[in-house]
Protein backbone atom coordinates (compact mmCIF):
# COMPACT_ATOMS: atom_id res chain seq x y z
CA UNK A 1 0.00 0.00 0.00
CA UNK A 2 1.36 3.43 -0.99
CA UNK A 3 2.37 6.03 1.59
CA UNK A 4 0.19 9.06 0.86
CA UNK A 5 -0.03 12.73 1.78
CA UNK A 6 -3.50 13.91 0.74
CA UNK A 7 -4.93 17.40 0.39
CA UNK A 8 -8.16 18.35 -1.38
CA UNK A 9 -6.56 21.61 -2.60
CA UNK A 10 -3.87 19.76 -4.58
CA UNK A 11 -2.79 21.06 -7.96
CA UNK A 12 0.08 18.62 -8.47
CA UNK A 13 1.42 15.33 -7.18
CA UNK A 14 4.88 13.91 -6.61
CA UNK A 15 5.04 10.14 -7.00
CA UNK A 16 7.71 7.56 -6.30
CA UNK A 17 7.32 4.26 -8.16
CA UNK A 18 9.07 0.94 -7.89
CA UNK A 19 10.65 -0.95 -10.78
CA UNK A 20 7.34 -2.69 -11.51
CA UNK A 21 5.52 0.64 -11.92
CA UNK A 22 3.65 0.51 -8.61
CA UNK A 23 3.15 3.74 -6.67
CA UNK A 24 5.15 3.61 -3.44
CA UNK A 25 4.69 7.21 -2.28
CA UNK A 26 2.04 9.66 -3.52
CA UNK A 27 2.21 13.26 -2.28
CA UNK A 28 -0.48 15.84 -2.99
CA UNK A 29 1.27 19.14 -3.76
CA UNK A 30 -0.25 22.62 -3.42
CA UNK A 31 0.50 25.70 -5.50
CA UNK A 32 2.14 28.97 -4.46
CA UNK A 33 -1.17 30.68 -3.65
CA UNK A 34 -1.65 28.33 -0.69
CA UNK A 35 1.77 28.69 0.91
CA UNK A 36 0.18 29.53 4.25
CA UNK A 37 -1.33 26.04 4.38
CA UNK A 38 0.28 22.90 5.78
CA UNK A 39 1.83 20.68 3.12
CA UNK A 40 4.27 20.54 0.22
CA UNK A 41 4.08 23.33 -2.37
CA UNK A 42 5.33 23.83 -5.93
CA UNK A 43 6.25 27.52 -5.90
CA UNK A 44 7.70 28.04 -9.37
CA UNK A 45 9.46 26.60 -12.39
CA UNK A 46 6.46 25.66 -14.54
CA UNK A 47 7.82 27.62 -17.50
CA UNK A 48 10.31 24.90 -18.33
CA UNK A 49 7.55 22.32 -18.28
CA UNK A 50 5.22 23.78 -20.89
CA UNK A 51 6.73 23.78 -24.39
CA UNK A 52 8.34 20.65 -25.75
CA UNK A 53 12.04 21.53 -26.26
CA UNK A 54 12.55 21.21 -30.02
CA UNK A 55 15.22 22.54 -32.36
CA UNK A 56 15.02 22.78 -36.13
CA UNK A 57 18.06 21.19 -37.86
CA UNK A 58 19.19 22.85 -41.08
CA UNK A 59 20.44 20.66 -43.91
CA UNK A 60 23.12 21.93 -46.30
CA UNK A 61 24.39 20.14 -49.37
CA UNK A 62 28.04 20.29 -50.39
CA UNK A 63 27.39 22.14 -53.64
CA UNK A 64 23.81 23.36 -53.38
CA UNK A 65 22.71 26.92 -52.80
CA UNK A 66 21.48 27.95 -49.37
CA UNK A 67 19.93 25.36 -47.04
CA UNK A 68 16.63 23.74 -46.22
CA UNK A 69 14.97 22.83 -42.91
CA UNK A 70 14.96 19.16 -41.98
CA UNK A 71 11.64 17.35 -41.87
CA UNK A 72 12.66 15.81 -38.52
CA UNK A 73 13.08 18.41 -35.78
CA UNK A 74 15.33 17.40 -32.91
CA UNK A 75 13.45 16.73 -29.65
CA UNK A 76 15.68 17.57 -26.69
CA UNK A 77 15.50 16.68 -23.02
CA UNK A 78 13.90 19.03 -20.52
CA UNK A 79 16.30 20.59 -18.04
CA UNK A 80 15.38 23.47 -15.77
CA UNK A 81 14.58 24.36 -12.16
CA UNK A 82 11.64 23.79 -9.84
CA UNK A 83 11.03 25.57 -6.55
CA UNK A 84 9.42 23.63 -3.71
CA UNK A 85 8.34 24.74 -0.26
CA UNK A 86 7.25 22.90 2.87
CA UNK A 87 4.93 24.12 5.61
CA UNK A 88 4.32 22.30 8.90
CA UNK A 89 1.91 23.05 11.73
CA UNK A 90 4.78 22.69 14.23
CA UNK A 91 8.51 21.83 14.04
CA UNK A 92 7.96 18.08 14.14
CA UNK A 93 5.29 18.28 11.44
CA UNK A 94 7.59 20.40 9.24
CA UNK A 95 10.32 17.79 9.58
CA UNK A 96 7.79 15.18 8.38
CA UNK A 97 6.93 17.33 5.32
CA UNK A 98 10.63 17.63 4.51
CA UNK A 99 11.14 13.89 5.00
CA UNK A 100 8.35 13.08 2.55
CA UNK A 101 9.59 15.57 -0.06
CA UNK A 102 13.16 14.27 -0.09
CA UNK A 103 12.08 10.68 0.09
CA UNK A 104 10.61 11.19 -3.39
CA UNK A 105 13.13 13.67 -4.81
CA UNK A 106 16.51 11.94 -4.70
CA UNK A 107 19.60 12.24 -6.86
CA UNK A 108 19.96 9.03 -8.86
CA UNK A 109 16.27 8.12 -8.59
CA UNK A 110 13.32 8.91 -10.84
CA UNK A 111 10.32 10.82 -9.57
CA UNK A 112 7.02 11.51 -11.29
CA UNK A 113 5.56 15.02 -11.39
CA UNK A 114 1.81 14.93 -12.11
CA UNK A 115 -0.07 18.12 -13.03
CA UNK A 116 -3.86 18.27 -12.85
CA UNK A 117 -6.00 20.20 -15.30
CA UNK A 118 -8.37 22.90 -14.10
CA UNK A 119 -11.08 20.27 -13.61
CA UNK A 120 -8.99 18.69 -10.84
CA UNK A 121 -9.44 15.23 -12.35
CA UNK A 122 -7.64 15.09 -15.71
CA UNK A 123 -3.88 14.79 -15.38
CA UNK A 124 -0.62 14.28 -17.23
CA UNK A 125 2.72 13.32 -15.75
CA UNK A 126 6.43 13.71 -16.46
CA UNK A 127 9.31 11.59 -15.15
CA UNK A 128 12.07 13.76 -13.74
CA UNK A 129 15.37 13.25 -11.95
CA UNK A 130 17.44 15.67 -9.88
CA UNK A 131 20.71 16.73 -11.49
CA UNK A 132 22.27 17.51 -8.12
CA UNK A 133 21.33 18.02 -4.51
CA UNK A 134 19.77 21.42 -3.72
CA UNK A 135 22.07 24.03 -2.21
CA UNK A 136 20.97 25.33 1.18
CA UNK A 137 20.72 29.12 0.76
CA UNK A 138 18.73 30.14 3.79
CA UNK A 139 20.29 32.69 6.18
CA UNK A 140 18.29 31.29 9.06
CA UNK A 141 18.00 27.77 10.37
CA UNK A 142 15.76 25.71 8.12
CA UNK A 143 12.30 25.34 9.59
CA UNK A 144 12.70 28.14 12.12
CA UNK A 145 9.18 29.27 11.20
CA UNK A 146 8.01 25.75 10.30
CA UNK A 147 8.66 26.52 6.63
CA UNK A 148 11.42 26.08 4.07
CA UNK A 149 11.98 26.75 0.37
CA UNK A 150 14.23 24.80 -2.01
CA UNK A 151 15.32 25.18 -5.64
CA UNK A 152 16.13 21.96 -7.48
CA UNK A 153 17.66 21.39 -10.90
CA UNK A 154 15.80 18.65 -12.74
CA UNK A 155 16.31 16.62 -15.89
CA UNK A 156 13.72 14.76 -17.98
CA UNK A 157 15.35 12.54 -20.58
CA UNK A 158 11.89 11.67 -21.94
CA UNK A 159 10.44 15.17 -22.33
CA UNK A 160 6.86 14.10 -23.12
CA UNK A 161 3.91 14.24 -20.76
CA UNK A 162 1.92 11.02 -20.39
CA UNK A 163 -1.79 10.75 -19.69
CA UNK A 164 -3.73 7.69 -18.51
CA UNK A 165 -3.32 4.59 -20.67
CA UNK A 166 -6.11 3.59 -23.01
CA UNK A 167 -6.34 -0.11 -23.72
CA UNK A 168 -8.49 -2.68 -25.48
CA UNK A 169 -8.52 -6.44 -24.83
CA UNK A 170 -9.28 -9.07 -27.46
CA UNK A 171 -10.30 -12.56 -26.32
CA UNK A 172 -10.17 -15.69 -28.45
CA UNK A 173 -13.83 -16.24 -27.64
CA UNK A 174 -14.58 -13.00 -29.53
CA UNK A 175 -12.47 -13.96 -32.56
CA UNK A 176 -13.60 -15.83 -35.68
CA UNK A 177 -12.17 -19.26 -36.49
CA UNK A 178 -10.78 -19.30 -40.04
CA UNK A 179 -11.29 -22.07 -42.63
CA UNK A 180 -7.92 -23.68 -41.78
CA UNK A 181 -9.42 -24.73 -38.43
CA UNK A 182 -6.52 -23.43 -36.28
CA UNK A 183 -6.33 -19.66 -36.90
CA UNK A 184 -8.56 -17.18 -35.10
CA UNK A 185 -8.95 -13.64 -36.40
CA UNK A 186 -10.29 -10.53 -34.71
CA UNK A 187 -9.80 -6.77 -34.62
CA UNK A 188 -8.92 -4.08 -32.09
CA UNK A 189 -9.81 -0.41 -32.44
CA UNK A 190 -6.95 2.04 -31.85
CA UNK A 191 -6.85 5.84 -31.84
CA UNK A 192 -4.55 8.65 -30.75
CA UNK A 193 -6.07 12.01 -29.74
CA UNK A 194 -2.70 13.47 -28.64
CA UNK A 195 -0.37 15.95 -30.33
CA UNK A 196 2.46 13.37 -30.56
CA UNK A 197 3.08 9.98 -32.15
CA UNK A 198 1.65 6.96 -30.32
CA UNK A 199 3.63 3.70 -30.12
CA UNK A 200 1.50 0.68 -29.24
CA UNK A 201 2.27 -1.96 -26.61
CA UNK A 202 0.89 -5.49 -26.49
CA UNK A 203 0.62 -8.00 -23.64
CA UNK A 204 -0.86 -11.48 -23.61
CA UNK A 205 -2.78 -13.13 -20.80
CA UNK A 206 -1.98 -16.33 -18.92
CA UNK A 207 -1.91 -19.09 -21.54
CA UNK A 208 -2.90 -22.72 -20.95
CA UNK A 209 -2.08 -24.16 -24.40
CA UNK A 210 0.61 -23.57 -27.09
CA UNK A 211 -0.05 -20.31 -28.95
CA UNK A 212 1.18 -17.94 -31.64
CA UNK A 213 0.00 -14.32 -31.78
CA UNK A 214 0.29 -12.09 -34.85
CA UNK A 215 -0.11 -8.37 -34.18
CA UNK A 216 -0.29 -5.43 -36.61
CA UNK A 217 2.47 -2.90 -37.15
CA UNK A 218 0.06 -0.09 -36.19
CA UNK A 219 -1.15 1.89 -39.24
CA UNK A 220 0.52 2.86 -42.50
CA UNK A 221 0.85 6.54 -43.49
CA UNK A 222 -2.44 6.24 -45.39
CA UNK A 223 -4.11 4.95 -42.16
CA UNK A 224 -4.52 1.41 -43.51
CA UNK A 225 -3.53 -1.40 -41.11
CA UNK A 226 0.16 -2.25 -40.99
CA UNK A 227 1.52 -5.69 -41.79
CA UNK A 228 0.97 -8.56 -39.36
CA UNK A 229 4.04 -9.43 -37.31
CA UNK A 230 4.23 -12.99 -35.92
CA UNK A 231 5.53 -12.88 -32.35
CA UNK A 232 6.79 -16.48 -32.32
CA UNK A 233 9.24 -16.88 -35.22
CA UNK A 234 10.54 -20.17 -33.79
CA UNK A 235 7.18 -21.82 -33.35
CA UNK A 236 4.40 -21.71 -30.74
CA UNK A 237 5.13 -20.58 -27.20
CA UNK A 238 4.36 -22.88 -24.31
CA UNK A 239 1.54 -22.58 -21.77
CA UNK A 240 2.22 -20.09 -19.00
CA UNK A 241 4.58 -17.88 -21.00
CA UNK A 242 3.71 -14.19 -20.93
CA UNK A 243 5.19 -11.20 -22.75
CA UNK A 244 4.96 -7.44 -23.20
CA UNK A 245 5.83 -6.10 -26.66
CA UNK A 246 6.92 -2.46 -26.88
CA UNK A 247 7.00 -0.98 -30.37
CA UNK A 248 8.74 2.29 -29.40
CA UNK A 249 12.06 2.16 -31.33
CA UNK A 250 14.49 2.73 -28.45
CA UNK A 251 12.85 0.51 -25.83
CA UNK A 252 13.43 -3.23 -25.32
CA UNK A 253 11.34 -4.98 -27.93
CA UNK A 254 9.96 -7.70 -25.66
CA UNK A 255 9.83 -8.13 -21.89
CA UNK A 256 9.05 -11.61 -20.56
CA UNK A 257 8.01 -13.08 -17.23
CA UNK A 258 9.58 -16.40 -18.20
CA UNK A 259 13.41 -16.31 -18.40
CA UNK A 260 13.32 -19.12 -20.93
CA UNK A 261 12.07 -16.55 -23.46
CA UNK A 262 15.21 -14.41 -23.20
CA UNK A 263 16.50 -15.43 -26.64
CA UNK A 264 13.10 -15.13 -28.27
CA UNK A 265 12.68 -11.64 -26.81
CA UNK A 266 14.91 -10.20 -29.52
CA UNK A 267 12.26 -11.21 -32.07
CA UNK A 268 15.05 -12.29 -34.42
CA UNK A 269 15.46 -8.78 -35.81
CA UNK A 270 11.77 -8.20 -36.48
CA UNK A 271 10.94 -4.51 -36.23
CA UNK A 272 7.87 -2.34 -35.91
CA UNK A 273 8.00 0.67 -38.21
CA UNK A 274 4.73 2.48 -37.64
CA UNK A 275 3.33 4.54 -34.76
CA UNK A 276 -0.15 5.96 -34.56
CA UNK A 277 -0.07 9.44 -36.10
CA UNK A 278 -0.82 12.45 -33.94
CA UNK A 279 -4.38 13.80 -33.81
CA UNK A 280 -5.93 10.53 -34.99
CA UNK A 281 -9.22 10.87 -33.18
CA UNK A 282 -11.18 8.45 -35.38
CA UNK A 283 -10.54 4.80 -34.39
CA UNK A 284 -9.00 2.42 -36.92
CA UNK A 285 -9.68 -1.34 -36.73
CA UNK A 286 -6.50 -3.43 -36.81
CA UNK A 287 -6.47 -7.20 -37.48
CA UNK A 288 -5.04 -9.62 -34.91
CA UNK A 289 -4.51 -13.35 -35.38
CA UNK A 290 -4.04 -16.23 -32.97
CA UNK A 291 -2.96 -19.74 -33.86
CA UNK A 292 -3.75 -22.27 -31.14
CA UNK A 293 -4.24 -21.09 -27.59
CA UNK A 294 -7.28 -21.85 -25.47
CA UNK A 295 -10.76 -20.44 -24.99
CA UNK A 296 -9.35 -18.12 -22.29
CA UNK A 297 -6.51 -16.77 -24.46
CA UNK A 298 -6.46 -12.98 -24.78
CA UNK A 299 -4.21 -10.09 -25.76
CA UNK A 300 -4.36 -6.47 -24.66
CA UNK A 301 -3.31 -3.49 -26.76
CA UNK A 302 -2.12 -0.52 -24.71
CA UNK A 303 -2.07 2.96 -26.22
CA UNK A 304 0.32 5.27 -24.31
CA UNK A 305 -0.79 8.90 -24.53
CA UNK A 306 2.17 11.27 -25.08
CA UNK A 307 1.65 15.03 -25.00
CA UNK A 308 3.95 17.96 -25.69
CA UNK A 309 2.48 20.02 -22.84
CA UNK A 310 0.83 19.31 -19.52
CA UNK A 311 -2.43 20.80 -20.80
CA UNK A 312 -4.02 21.26 -24.24
CA UNK A 313 -3.31 19.64 -27.60
CA UNK A 314 -6.42 17.48 -27.88
CA UNK A 315 -7.30 16.70 -31.49
CA UNK A 316 -10.94 17.67 -31.09
CA UNK A 317 -9.83 21.22 -30.31
CA UNK A 318 -8.24 21.66 -33.76
Amino acid sequence: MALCLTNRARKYQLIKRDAAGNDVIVLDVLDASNFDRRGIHLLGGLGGLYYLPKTQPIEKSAYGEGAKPSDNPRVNERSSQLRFGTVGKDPADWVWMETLLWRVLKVGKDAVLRIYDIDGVTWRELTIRLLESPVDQTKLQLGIRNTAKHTVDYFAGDPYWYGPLDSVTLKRSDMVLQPDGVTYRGTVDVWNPTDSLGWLEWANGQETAPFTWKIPDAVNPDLTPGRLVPLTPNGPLRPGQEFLVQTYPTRPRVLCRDDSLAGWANLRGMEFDNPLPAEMNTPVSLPVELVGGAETSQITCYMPRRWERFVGGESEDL
Side-chain angles (χ1 to χ4, degrees), residues 213-289:
W213 284 102
K214 294 183 181 181
I215 62 175
D217 184 15
V219 297
N220 297 314
D222 61 358
L223 298 185
T224 57
R227 73 189 191 286
L228 281 174
V229 179
L231 298 184
T232 51
N234 296 327
L237 296 182
R238 298 191 304 273
Q241 294 180 323
E242 298 177 62
F243 59 78
L244 170 66
V245 175
Q246 302 177 113
T247 64
Y248 191 84
T250 60
R251 291 181 181 166
R253 182 64 65 237
V254 183
L255 301 176
C256 306
R257 290 185 183 272
D258 189 334
D259 290 339
S260 68
L261 292 177
W264 167 79
N266 293 321
L267 275 184
R268 301 290 181 181
M270 292 185 181
E271 295 293 336
F272 294 87
D273 301 316
N274 297 324
L276 299 181
E279 301 161 7
M280 192 186 85
N281 206 40
T282 301
V284 173
S285 294
L286 301 182
V288 178
E289 290 186 359

Side-chain angles (χ1 to χ4, degrees), residues 32-150:
S33 66
N34 286 293
F35 195 56
D36 59 336
R37 300 182 61 170
R38 172 184 182 268
I40 298 171
H41 303 254
L42 180 54
L43 303 177
L46 295 180
L49 299 172
Y50 193 63
Y51 294 107
L52 186 69
K54 289 183 180 180
T55 55
Q56 178 63 69
I58 303 297
E59 296 178 349
K60 295 183 179 181
S61 62
Y63 304 102
E65 298 177 352
K68 66 175 184 177
S70 169
D71 293 331
N72 299 295
R74 163 72 187 175
V75 178
N76 302 306
E77 71 280 359
R78 294 183 194 264
S79 182
S80 189
Q81 290 184 326
L82 294 171
R83 294 182 63 242
F84 288 96
T86 54
V87 179
K89 60 185 178 182
D90 54 47
D93 188 53
W94 169 78
V95 170
W96 178 235
M97 295 297 113
E98 286 282 303
T99 299
L100 290 174
L101 176 61
W102 302 116
R103 195 171 288 180
V104 175
L105 293 179
K106 285 187 176 182
V107 176
K109 301 291 184 179
D110 286 336
V112 174
L113 174 64
R114 177 178 289 181
I115 296 184
Y116 283 86
D117 203 344
I118 194 171
D119 61 11
V121 177
T122 307
W123 54 263
R124 297 174 193 170
E125 58 186 32
L126 177 75
T127 299
I128 63 175
R129 182 175 289 209
L130 297 195
L131 285 172
E132 58 185 7
S133 297
V135 177
D136 299 326
Q137 297 177 333
T138 180
K139 296 180 180 180
L140 300 174
Q141 178 182 343
L142 281 171
I144 198 169
R145 296 186 178 89
N146 303 327
T147 65
K149 297 179 181 179
H150 309 275

Side-chain angles (χ1 to χ4, degrees), residues 299-312:
I299 194 167
T300 300
C301 176
Y302 296 97
M303 295 166 270
R305 300 312 191 193
R306 302 194 310 161
W307 306 86
E308 294 194 4
R309 299 173 308 213
F310 56 75
V311 66

